[in-house]
Amino acid sequence: MNTTSTPTDRLGGKDEPSVRELVERATHTYIAQLQFRYFKDDPAAVAEMAQLRRGAGRRAHEIPELWGIDALEKLAELITKGKTDSGHREDAEEAVFLASTLWALHQQSRPGQDSHVRGKDLGGAVRALIRLKKAESTDEEDSTLRKRLVRVGTAESFQSVAVRLREIVMLLRTVPEPPPLDYARLAGQLYRWQDRSARAGVQREWGREFHLAASAPRTGKGKIPDAEGDAIDPALGADEDGTYGGYAAGE
């Protein structure tokens, strides 16, 4: 994985954090705090998560009641002193917003089960879900769930990535103990994906996560290590569809 930041990804001097790093930090801080309050049955936290779920698969700022959510406020606080152009700021907002709303959807009605766990990547979660559901094919590489991940990797627009990720999260929710995700890591990947020059690297990461997870123990608990391996199979085309809630709908 190439972690070298472009000049526009840096906020200032070489020792200052990149926008990607701040995206991940803002997402983790927000989710960890809200998740803690949700587990404590804080009525305000429960209500906030319900609002967030309505934003899953939508654009940042598209839903008025989600204007000024704490996730974006935390991001603004982190980057406000830096010199970053409006395009990178908007990309950062979209990434933090999408990751936070997908987490709220994943976490719904599961107090005490952490849906956001550092180090649990997207490809590994899909592999764990295949095993938990005992997919229709004994060949995990031929599973329809894997094809869902491929559709994320081959999408041509951020809108399609968002909808296809929402579909995967909905599938994760279909098992009693859904595999968790590192939503901070996902937010960082979503931020980088919006940069055309970094997109292929993110797509390779998702494929590596899935393929290396094949060697994980079959615990049934979704305990999948971080991945480094082959890229997503590009055989399936990026079949862009119609629109739904501002995003191109997946299958």
Side-chain angles (χ1 to χ4, degrees):
M1 181 181 78
N2 181 8
T3 57
T4 302
S5 300
T6 62
T8 53
D9 189 40
R10 286 282 162 184
L11 293 179
K14 63 181 181 179
D15 294 328
E16 294 187 25
S18 67
V19 178
R20 174 191 60 81
E21 291 167 336
L22 297 185
V23 162
E24 293 185 5
R25 189 184 307 171
T27 303
H28 172 69
T29 300
Y30 173 66
I31 290 178
Q33 292 175 350
L34 184 55
Q35 186 168 257
F36 176 79
R37 291 168 51 213
Y38 176 67
F39 289 171
K40 295 292 185 180
D41 201 25
D42 179 347
V46 173
E48 185 171 350
M49 288 187 61
Q51 284 187 320
L52 284 173
R53 288 194 295 273
R54 289 195 286 273
R58 308 290 289 274
R59 300 300 296 254
H61 309 303
E62 184 179 354
I63 304 175
E65 58 264 35
L66 288 177
W67 291 353
I69 66 169
D70 283 351
L72 298 186
E73 296 290 341
K74 292 184 185 303
L75 175 66
E77 290 172 5
L78 289 171
I79 67 176
T80 189
K81 295 180 181 179
K83 296 179 180 179
T84 183
D85 61 70
S86 60
H88 281 77
R89 185 182 292 266
E90 290 174 7
D91 288 350
E93 290 175 347
E94 292 288 357
V96 172
F97 182 84
L98 179 56
S100 299
T101 54
L102 288 174
W103 163 75
L105 185 64
H106 193 171
Q107 186 66 62
Q108 183 181 10
S109 302
R110 299 185 186 279
Q113 290 185 15
D114 293 346
S115 295
H116 167 58
V117 176
R118 298 310 300 265
K120 299 298 184 180
D121 53 60
L122 177 65
V126 171
R127 176 77 72 175
L129 181 63
I130 291 172
R131 294 175 175 179
L132 287 169
K133 291 179 71 69
K134 297 178 180 171
E136 70 283 355
S137 172
T138 56
D139 181 2
E140 293 178 358
E141 301 296 322
D142 192 43
S143 167
T144 57
L145 290 168
R146 172 189 170 278
K147 293 176 182 177
R148 292 279 188 176
L149 179 62
V150 171
R151 281 174 52 77
V152 175
T154 57
E156 292 290 342
S157 70
F158 188 76
Q159 292 88 341
S160 288
V161 168
V163 167
R164 293 167 186 185
L165 283 174
R166 186 181 188 279
E167 293 170 351
I168 287 178
V169 170
M170 292 297 291
L171 289 171
L172 290 174
R173 287 171 39 80
T174 62
V175 294
E177 296 184 27
L181 270 179
D182 183 341
Y183 280 94
R185 173 183 171 88
L186 181 62
Q189 291 173 325
L190 291 170
Y191 170 72
R192 291 166 48 225
W193 188 96
Q194 294 172 84
D195 180 351
R196 178 68 69 171
S197 66
R199 185 170 303 174
V202 176
Q203 292 167 330
R204 283 193 294 270
E205 284 178 19
W206 286 333
R208 288 166 180 165
E209 291 166 2
F210 181 81
H211 292 308
L212 272 196
S215 63
R218 297 171 179 266
T219 62
K221 298 295 184 180
K223 296 181 178 178
I224 305 297
D226 282 339
E228 301 287 345
D230 297 331
I232 284 178
D233 181 355
L236 295 186
D239 45 339
E240 302 302 312
D241 306 299
T243 60
Y244 170 74
Y247 281 131
E251 284 185 350

